Amino acid sequence: MRVAISVVLIAILLVLAGSVTAQSVRPPGDAVNLEDSNTLGPSNALGNLSDSDIWRDFRGGDPMNIDDIIRGPIEGQMMTRSGQLWREIRENYIRKYAGWFPVGVIGILALVYLLMGPARIKSGFSGKTLPRFNLNQRVAHWFMASIFIILGLSGLIILLGRPVILPIFGPTVNSIMTSAAMQGHNLFGPLFVVALLWMFIKFIKGNFFQIVDLKWMIKLGGLIGGHVSSHQFNFGEKTWFWMVILVGIVMSATGIALEFPWLFDDLRVLQASTVLHAVGAILLISVSIGHIYIGTIGMEGSLDSMLKGEVDENWAKEHHDLWYEKVTGKSATDDSTEVTKEESGS
Amino acid sequence: MSYIAFVEGPLFLIAATVFVLGALWRVIGIIRIGRKKDISPPKGSEAVGFIRGNLRHFLPRGIFARRTWVHIVGGYGFHLGLFVLVLFAAPHIVFIDERLFSVPWPALPRWGFIIAADIAFAGLIMLWVRRISDPVMRLISDWDDHIGSWLTFLVMFTGCLALQESHVFLRATHMLFVDIWLIYFPFSRLMHAFTFFLSRGNTGATYGRKGMSL
Amino acid sequence: MSEKSDIAVAKFLEHTDSEAASFFEACVHCGECADACQFYLTSGDPKYTPINKLRPMERAYKRDKAPFSSLKKAIGLAPSPVTEEELYEWEPLVYDSCNMCGRCTLVCPMGIDIAGTIRKMREGYAAAGIVPEGLQRSAEFVKKTSSPMGVTIKALKAQIKHQEKATGIEIEIDKQGADYMAIFSSMEIMGYPEVLGAYAKLFKCAGLTWTISSVAYEATNVGVQIGSGPMAKEILQRVVDAAEVLEVKHVISPECGHAYGAIRWAGPNMMGRQFKFEVVHIIELLDQLRREGKIPAGKKDSRRMTLHDPCQIVRRGGLLKEPRKLLDESCSDFVEMKGAGITNFCCGGGGGVSANPRAEEVKTAAFSLKVDQLNGVENLEAVVVPCGNCRAVFEDGLDAYDMNLEIIGLSELIADTLEEDPAPQGTG
C-alpha cells in the first residue's frame, strides 16, 4: 500500500520535473490582435511581399532566438511557435497519460484490499477512546475535503473531457459537461485557497518532521522490519500534509492566474500555469485516493478520528505509540494490552 | 414538451403552488393548535416581547462564542449569500421580469455574483460538515436535515454550473432542482425559514409578559 | 405501545400547544444548546444536549399532531411511535439532568424555551407514573403535611419562637387583614430560620404588617417539579385559599426559584382565575421598600462577596438588577463572578434535581462549574444566594469540593445592614 503510493509519487515527481522544463517555452501570443494585424498583417499582405515573407511575419521571430522565447510574443505577431509546443505537451503527454495515474492507484488499492484486506487493530477494539482531532480540525478537514472533491471531479472533466467523454458520449454531452465543470471549477477555486489556509493553521502543529520519521520511512511504514514508532502524525501523514500545503500553494497560485488572467497579462504565465496546474492536480488526486482508502475501508478504526474526533486506545498504541504515551502517560507496549484484548473479546 | 418547457412551465407552477399553499397550511396549522390564554397579571407587553425576542436572537451572546463561531460565520454567510443570489442574480431577475413582475432593482455584476456564491457555498459546506463531525449534531440530526442541506446545495450548485448560459440542459436541470426543492420545502425542516419567528416570538412574548428585557 | 406510553403520549400531545409546536418546528438541530447545558459541559456526553431531552415529546407531536402528520403517516414517513422503553430511557434526561435553568434558550438561534417544554413533557411522565423515587417521596410528604420535607406547623411554630426570642419582635400567625402574607420553602424553615427573623426586622422597620398562615406556609411546589398539573394546583390552592381567607393584600414569594414562577406566573392559569391578592417576590419587595426609603441601608458589610443568580428568579424571573442594587447598598466589597447575570450557571440542583437522590452524581459534577466561577473571584469570603434550594445545593457542593465559604441569604444581609435607628416610618 505504502509502496504503491511511493511508486506513484516518484512517477509523478518525474512528470513534474519534466513540466518544469516545459514551462519556459514561448506562449502562443495574441493570435488575433486585430488592431495590429490591420496595420501590419493581412491588411497589407497584398502589397509587395512574397508569400513566404508573409508567413514568416505571421509566425514571427526566430525560433532559435532565446530572447524572443523569453520575452514572449512580439507585438503584431500572429503565430507563436511556443504555443504549438505548449499544445503538444498538453495533448500528447498530459491529456494522454494523466487519467492513468488515478486509475492506476485505484487498481493497486483494489488489489491490496483483495489480497491483504483492511489493516485491522491487532489487539481488537479496547472500547476506550482518546481524543485525536478537535471539532475545529474536523470541520476544517471536511471543508477542504468537500472543496477538493468538487474541484477534483470538475477539473478531471475539463482536462479529460475531450479524450474520454467525447469519444464515448459524443460532443453534446462533452460540451455540456465541460461548460458545467468549468463554471463549477472557477466558482469553487477561490474557496480552495481559504480551505488551504484553514487546514494549514489547524494542522501545522505536530506535522514537522522528526528523527523517528526517518526510521518509519526506511521501514516503509512497517511493511518491512516490523513495528514502526510515530508521534501524533507518522511520516506518511506528514508527507501528505506538506504535499497538500506545498502543491496546494502551487495550485492556488496557478489557479488564480488562470481564473483571473488579467492579473498577470502574460501568456507565458498562463501556459506554464495550465501545465503546472494539471500536473499538481493529478498528483494530489492520485495520492488523495490512497488517503481516502486508508481513512475509510483500508484501516480499521481510522474514520472515527475524523467523524467523532476519537480513536480507540489500541488503535493509538499500534499506529501512534509515541503519541499514545504522551497523551496518556502510559506505556504503549506493557502487558495491559493483553488484558484489554481479553476484555474486548468477551 | 421539451425538458426546459416542462420544468419552467407546468412543473414550476405545481411546485410554486405546493410551496405557497404548503407553507401557509403549515404555519397556520401551528398557530391554530392554539394555547391557553395567559391570565396572570402581566408586568410587560407580550407584543413588544414577541418583536424583541425575534430581534435578540439574531445576535449571539458573547459568552457562548467559543462553540458557536462556526455556526455564526457559516450560518450568516450561507443565508446572506443565498438571499443575495436569489434576489440579485441576473438570470433570476430576467426570469422574474418575464413571468411575474418587473424587478425594480438592478442585477448583481458577475464579480458580485461570484463573491456571494462563494460565501454561500462556504457557509453551507461548513454547516453540513459540522453536522457530520460533531458528536452532538450527529446525535440530533436526522435524514431531513441531510436531505434539506443537500437539496439546497444541489439547487445552488446546478445554478452555478449553468452560469455560462451555453446549454439549455443545464438551466433546465437547475430549474428541476428548484422545483424539487420547492415541493420538498413545506414538508421539511426547511420550513424553519418561516417558523423561526413564531418560536423566537413565543419565547420573547413570555419574557415580555414577565417584564424581562433579554 | 403500552398503557404507560399511551398515557404519556396523550399528555405530551395535550400539552403541545402552539408554543411548544413552534419550538419543535423551528429547531434546525444545530446543537448549540449543548454548550449552554451544565450536564453536557461537565460530562461531554452528547445525550445531555438539551433539545435531545425533548425527543420523545417531539416524536409524539410529529407523529400525531403536527401539520401534515396524517399525510406523512399515510405514506409511512411519520416517526415511529414512542415506546415505554424509550420513555424509561429518557427519564434520567428529563428529570435528573435538566435543572430547567433555561440557559439553552439564550444560545438558541431560534429562541426555543427548552426548560419550559421540559416542564410540559414532565406532565406526560407524571401522568404515566414514570417519576424518580426521590420526587415521588417528596410528593407523598406534601400530601400529608404540605411540605416536601415533612415540615409540620409544630416545627414551624418552634422556629418562629426561636426567632422571636432572637430578634425581640413578635411574629403574628394568621393575622387577619395583614398587608403581606409570607410563605417559605421548607429548606428555609428548617435550614435557615434566620430568614423569619430577618422578615420580622425588615417589616417592623418598614412599618408594614405581615403574617404567616398556619395552614399554608409552604412555597415549594413539588407538583411543578414533578410536572403534575393537578398536584401543583392542589398545593397552590392551599396558599390561595389561606391568603384569601386572611384577606391579605399581598403574598410574598420567598427566596426560592421555582416557587415564584409557580405562584406568580403559572398560578392564576392553574387556578383559572386571577387572585384577590398580589404576588410579589421578596427581592422585588425589598427593592421597592429600599427605593421608598422605608428600609434605609446602614453600615455596609465589609466582607468580599459575590452573588449567585438563581435561574428562576433572574434568567427566567426577570429580577436581574434588583438584587445587585440591594447588594451594592449593603456590601462594600461586592464583586461579580465571571458570567454573572442572565447567563449565570445554575447551582445544578434546580428543576427538582436536588430533590432526586439518583441525580446526586451529575448534580455534584454540574456544581464544578460554579466552583470554577467562585474560584475565579480572588479572596472571596461569602456568596449571597437568594434561593433556599440553591443554598442547600451550595452547602453540599462546597462540601464536596472542600471549599470554605460563607453562604448568606439576601433578606438576612439586608436585615443585618439596616440603618441602626432609622427615622420613624409611616409616611411613604
Side-chain angles (χ1 to χ4, degrees):
Chain A
M1 171 50 241
R2 303 257 173 207
V3 186
I5 292 180
S6 316
V7 171
V8 173
L9 215 149
I10 291 162
I12 290 166
L13 281 175
L14 285 175
V15 177
L16 190 68
S19 72
V20 172
T21 51
Q23 69 176 301
S24 56
V25 289
R26 202 170 52 177
D30 309 47
V32 276
N33 192 334
L34 291 175
E35 206 182 306
D36 292 338
S37 61
N38 279 343
T39 56
L40 295 172
S43 54
N44 50 10
L46 291 174
N48 45 17
L49 289 171
S50 70
D51 280 1
S52 45
D53 283 338
I54 292 168
W55 287 112
R56 202 169 289 119
D57 276 349
F58 268 23
R59 199 173 66 195
D62 177 357
M64 303 320 268
N65 186 340
I66 197 78
D67 279 350
D68 277 3
I69 294 169
I70 293 169
R71 261 200 349 264
I74 297 153
E75 208 172 314
Q77 176 188 313
M78 295 189 70
M79 283 182 190
T80 56
R81 293 165 69 116
S82 71
Q84 179 65 8
L85 187 55
W86 168 79
R87 191 178 165 280
E88 273 167 14
I89 291 172
R90 189 170 158 82
E91 296 300 327
N92 295 345
Y93 294 94
I94 298 176
R95 271 194 164 154
K96 221 173 197 170
Y97 301 115
W100 292 110
F101 287 96
V103 170
V105 173
I106 291 171
I108 292 166
L109 290 176
L111 215 60
V112 168
Y113 188 76
L114 288 176
L115 294 179
M116 296 162 66
R120 303 226 177 264
I121 300 175
K122 290 192 197 79
S123 45
F125 283 92
S126 69
K128 282 177 283 181
T129 56
L130 285 177
R132 181 157 170 83
F133 297 115
N134 66 35
L135 184 56
N136 279 336
Q137 285 178 316
R138 269 134 57 203
V139 172
H141 169 269
W142 289 116
F143 185 72
M144 170 55 108
S146 309
I147 307 287
F148 186 90
I149 289 168
I150 292 168
L151 288 176
L153 291 177
S154 57
L156 283 175
I157 292 172
I158 295 167
L159 185 66
L160 303 177
R162 199 167 290 180
V164 178
I165 300 171
L166 181 72
I168 302 174
F169 299 101
T172 314
V173 172
N174 183 44
S175 169
I176 290 173
M177 288 186 72
T178 316
S179 161
M182 197 191 78
Q183 294 305 321
H185 202 81
N186 284 352
L187 204 79
F188 278 86
L191 292 182
F192 179 82
V193 183
V194 178
L196 191 68
L197 194 69
W198 198 6
M199 278 289 288
F200 180 75
I201 294 166
K202 286 292 163 198
F203 284 90
I204 179 73
K205 199 177 159 232
N207 261 315
F208 289 106
F209 288 102
Q210 287 152 298
I211 294 292
V212 64
D213 297 322
L214 195 68
K215 289 187 211 149
W216 196 98
M217 187 176 63
I218 292 166
K219 287 183 176 179
L220 290 175
L223 280 180
I224 50 169
H227 176 80
V228 282
S229 285
S230 92
H231 290 282
Q232 182 174 12
F233 301 116
N234 63 34
F235 177 75
E237 288 167 308
K238 288 175 182 173
T239 309
W240 175 226
F241 171 78
W242 286 108
M243 193 186 290
V244 169
I245 297 300
L246 297 177
V247 180
I249 291 171
V250 174
M251 299 301 288
S252 303
T254 53
I256 289 168
L258 291 169
E259 184 162 359
F260 310 104
W262 58 87
L263 289 178
F264 295 92
D265 200 24
D266 187 338
L267 278 174
R268 286 168 302 170
V269 173
L270 301 184
Q271 285 177 334
S273 290
T274 57
V275 173
L276 272 179
H277 203 80
V279 171
I282 291 302
L283 173 66
L284 287 182
I285 289 170
S286 303
V287 183
S288 77
I289 294 168
H291 172 73
I292 293 167
Y293 172 80
I294 294 186
T296 55
I297 58 170
M299 182 178 283
E300 200 174 42
S302 56
L303 186 60
D304 276 356
S305 66
M306 254 321 153
L307 286 179
K308 298 171 188 164
E310 292 184 332
V311 288
D312 194 85
E313 280 199 4
N314 285 350
W315 182 95
K317 279 183 204 172
E318 284 169 27
H319 299 297
H320 299 273
D321 50 350
L322 300 174
W323 173 70
Y324 172 84
E325 289 175 357
K326 194 182 159 204
V327 286
T328 62
K330 288 186 278 187
S331 163
T333 47
D334 67 7
D335 292 327
S336 66
T337 316
E338 287 303 308
V339 180
T340 50
K341 184 181 172 186
E342 279 161 26
E343 276 173 2
S344 68
S346 63
Chain B
M1 185 180 275
S2 69
Y3 179 24
I4 184 78
F6 176 65
V7 294
E8 289 196 350
L11 189 61
F12 177 67
L13 268 178
I14 293 169
T17 311
V18 169
F19 174 78
V20 172
L21 295 183
L24 267 176
W25 174 270
R26 187 143 164 202
V27 169
I28 292 170
I30 295 163
I31 296 170
R32 275 198 48 200
I33 291 172
R35 58 193 289 204
K36 276 213 282 203
K37 196 175 147 29
D38 194 336
I39 56 169
S40 61
K43 253 180 149 178
S45 158
E46 280 194 19
V48 172
F50 191 97
I51 294 162
R52 197 198 281 266
N54 262 295
L55 297 177
R56 185 62 190 84
H57 285 273
F58 272 118
L59 297 172
R61 280 173 204 272
I63 198 164
F64 300 112
R66 186 180 60 81
R67 185 185 161 88
T68 53
W69 77 268
V70 169
H71 271 149
I72 293 162
V73 174
Y76 269 106
F78 162 64
H79 283 99
L80 293 178
L82 182 66
F83 295 151
V84 170
L85 292 183
V86 170
L87 296 176
F88 293 96
H92 293 171
I93 289 185
V94 173
F95 185 83
I96 300 170
D97 270 342
E98 280 172 1
R99 271 147 225 271
L100 300 166
F101 53 87
S102 165
V103 179
W105 57 80
L108 211 58
R110 195 185 156 79
W111 58 265
F113 179 94
I114 288 175
I115 291 172
D118 271 349
I119 291 173
F121 274 117
L124 181 59
I125 292 171
M126 268 166 85
L127 296 182
W128 185 74
V129 300
R130 167 118 183 218
R131 199 175 279 295
I132 61 163
S133 55
D134 173 14
V136 166
M137 290 185 79
R138 284 171 68 89
L139 177 74
I140 60 178
S141 296
D142 55 23
W143 52 267
D144 188 11
D145 293 312
H146 295 288
I147 295 176
S149 301
W150 273 88
L151 261 185
T152 309
F153 173 77
L154 286 172
V155 168
M156 287 162 57
F157 192 60
T158 51
C160 292
L161 297 187
L163 213 54
Q164 203 171 27
E165 299 187 53
S166 56
H167 292 280
V168 166
F169 176 86
L170 292 174
R171 179 190 169 96
T173 304
H174 175 51
M175 273 312 289
L176 176 68
F177 277 103
V178 170
D179 294 340
I180 295 171
W181 189 86
L182 286 172
I183 293 170
Y184 184 72
F185 190 100
F187 307 99
S188 71
R189 198 164 285 111
L190 294 173
M191 273 297 287
H192 75 276
F194 297 125
T195 52
F196 83 93
F197 82 96
L198 287 174
S199 162
R200 288 182 186 178
N202 281 329
T203 299
T206 307
Y207 285 2
R209 189 178 185 84
K210 292 181 180 178
M212 296 150 71
S213 53
L214 298 194
Chain C
M1 295 292 276
S2 68
E3 207 183 322
K4 276 190 175 181
S5 64
D6 284 345
I7 296 170
V9 166
K11 280 282 171 193
F12 288 165
L13 296 177
E14 182 192 326
H15 284 273
T16 307
D17 54 8
S18 60
E19 184 187 46
S22 73
F23 296 154
F24 293 141
E25 295 281 355
C27 177
V28 287
H29 294 170
C30 72
E32 297 300 358
C33 46
D35 200 39
C37 179
Q38 282 177 297
F39 299 101
Y40 173 76
L41 288 175
T42 50
S43 70
D45 190 333
K47 76 178 178 188
Y48 292 121
T49 305
I51 197 69
N52 183 50
K53 296 170 189 171
L54 291 174
R55 197 185 278 179
M57 188 172 176
E58 183 192 356
R59 285 248 314 282
Y61 164 74
K62 293 215 160 143
R63 184 177 168 80
D64 287 316
K65 197 166 183 178
F68 298 126
S69 56
S70 42
L71 176 72
K72 283 181 185 169
K73 221 193 267 179
I75 54 173
L77 286 178
S80 57
V82 177
T83 63
E84 190 176 324
E85 296 75 59
E86 193 183 353
L87 290 174
Y88 273 106
E89 194 189 331
W90 250 258
E91 186 205 347
L93 297 179
V94 176
Y95 281 108
D96 303 16
S97 54
C98 178
N99 44 40
M100 292 165 80
C101 76
R103 208 165 175 262
C104 42
T105 303
L106 299 182
V107 73
C108 177
M110 299 296 170
I112 296 171
D113 179 9
I114 295 174
T117 314
I118 285 280
R119 162 76 183 82
K120 290 172 179 165
M121 188 172 172
R122 286 183 183 178
E123 288 283 350
Y125 271 84
I130 308 176
V131 173
E133 223 181 294
L135 282 172
Q136 222 146 21
R137 209 168 30 236
S138 304
E140 280 154 24
F141 270 128
V142 169
K143 285 215 173 99
K144 285 184 217 142
T145 63
S146 93
S147 148
M149 287 167 74
V151 177
T152 58
I153 181 64
K154 228 186 250 172
L156 173 63
K157 280 183 173 162
Q159 297 289 51
I160 290 176
K161 202 159 283 170
H162 277 298
Q163 289 304 312
E164 283 178 332
K165 215 174 275 175
T167 57
I169 306 168
E170 195 197 347
I171 298 173
E172 281 185 81
I173 294 178
D174 294 332
K175 183 184 166 76
Q176 195 71 26
D179 295 328
Y180 292 89
M181 178 180 115
I183 51 178
F184 298 93
S185 74
S186 294
M187 204 69 81
E188 287 179 299
I189 299 170
M190 298 317 289
Y192 324 108
E194 308 81 31
V195 73
L196 300 168
Y199 273 35
K201 269 175 86 175
L202 288 164
F203 283 108
K204 186 178 175 228
C205 176
L208 296 166
T209 56
W210 75 295
T211 189
I212 300 173
S213 162
S214 62
V215 288
Y217 45 85
E218 177 62 53
T220 311
N221 195 322
V222 181
V224 168
Q225 292 177 329
I226 290 181
S228 164
M231 191 194 294
K233 187 180 170 184
E234 192 186 320
I235 295 167
L236 188 67
Q237 186 86 51
R238 295 177 191 164
V239 176
V240 174
D241 287 350
E244 290 181 349
V245 165
L246 290 176
E247 295 178 307
V248 296
K249 296 190 193 75
H250 304 90
V251 168
I252 306 168
S253 185
E255 292 187 25
C256 169
H258 76 273
Y260 177 58
I263 188 167
R264 173 68 177 86
W265 301 112
N269 294 309
M270 280 197 276
M271 308 303 293
R273 67 176 174 87
Q274 299 219 340
F275 305 144
K276 292 178 189 155
F277 52 86
E278 213 178 291
V279 178
V280 58
H281 192 270
I282 181 68
I283 295 177
E284 251 180 320
L285 178 63
L286 291 178
D287 185 57
Q288 180 200 330
L289 295 176
R290 172 66 50 84
R291 294 320 127 217
E292 289 169 2
K294 290 182 178 169
I295 48 168
K299 192 170 181 296
K300 288 184 176 182
D301 192 320
S302 63
R303 285 176 293 178
R304 193 173 175 83
M305 355 183 142
T306 188
L307 172 72
H308 165 70
D309 293 279
C311 315
Q312 307 302 325
I313 295 171
V314 179
R315 180 163 39 245
R316 294 172 68 75
L319 299 177
L320 172 68
K321 294 190 189 105
E322 290 85 348
R324 297 188 152 72
K325 279 191 281 181
L326 289 166
L327 261 178
D328 267 335
E329 291 155 358
S330 311
C331 168
S332 58
D333 197 6
F334 167 55
V335 258
E336 294 278 16
M337 58 174 91
K338 200 177 163 215
I342 293 294
T343 54
N344 208 336
F345 281 115
C346 172
C347 61
V353 172
S354 63
N356 176 3
R358 196 178 61 189
E360 184 68 30
E361 202 178 316
V362 286
K363 184 193 81 176
T364 308
F367 191 77
S368 69
L369 296 169
K370 192 54 73 181
V371 170
D372 292 344
Q373 284 185 301
L374 295 172
N375 282 335
V377 183
E378 269 175 49
N379 306 320
L380 190 65
E381 286 170 280
V383 54
V384 177
V385 183
C387 165
N389 183 52
C390 296
R391 248 172 112 159
V393 175
F394 262 71
E395 283 190 351
D396 289 352
L398 293 178
D399 212 38
Y401 289 91
D402 279 329
M403 279 177 82
N404 207 354
L405 205 59
E406 192 164 348
I407 307 167
I408 33 186
L410 189 59
S411 311
E412 290 133 80
L413 179 72
I414 305 297
D416 289 346
T417 55
L418 274 179
E419 200 174 299
E420 288 298 334
D421 284 303
Q425 291 297 323
T427 47

